[in-house]
Amino acid sequence: MIACPSPKCGSPNVADLPHYWKSLPSESPLKAKYAPPAKVEGGYLAALAVVALGVAVVVSGSLFGLLVAAGGAVWGVIVHRRVADAEAQLADWETSRVCLACTGTF
């Protein structure tokens, strides 16, 4: 049996956080408190377009294209990390539990 890990509580009355959040009425103030983390949109296409633009500039004979291509690659890495962090937060939220006695999450 799973119990609340709080030393002040210890109640066995716990629920899966996603299931509990879905069961709350839309007007409940707890709906915002227990909401899943915000989704992050990946702008991979824009970063790829900047890299392609940089390559096109390099091919045309300007070394400035290397800087543009490197900037697009760094932008792609930043977008990837942001998306990976958001996915990790969502995975943590999906495996979290809520104590129905003290309303703590764990």
Side-chain angles (χ1 to χ4, degrees):
M1 179 188 309
I2 298 173
C4 178
S6 171
K8 296 177 184 176
C9 181
S11 172
N13 194 10
V14 297
D16 290 330
L17 184 57
H19 178 59
Y20 178 70
W21 179 76
K22 288 176 187 173
S23 70
L24 290 171
S26 59
E27 62 273 354
S28 173
L30 295 177
K31 194 79 167 177
K33 179 180 177 182
Y34 295 126
K39 292 188 177 198
V40 176
E41 294 296 324
Y44 294 111
L45 190 57
L48 185 60
V50 172
V51 171
L53 176 68
V55 170
V57 172
V58 167
V59 169
S60 71
S62 174
L63 290 178
F64 176 69
L66 290 175
L67 183 62
V68 174
V74 169
W75 185 11
V77 168
I78 291 170
V79 168
H80 176 70
R81 283 192 181 160
R82 196 171 3 159
V83 169
D85 289 345
E87 288 175 352
Q89 288 176 352
L90 183 61
D92 287 344
W93 180 83
E94 289 174 343
T95 59
S96 294
R97 299 183 186 275
V98 61
C99 176
L100 301 177
C102 70
T103 67
T105 57
F106 56 98

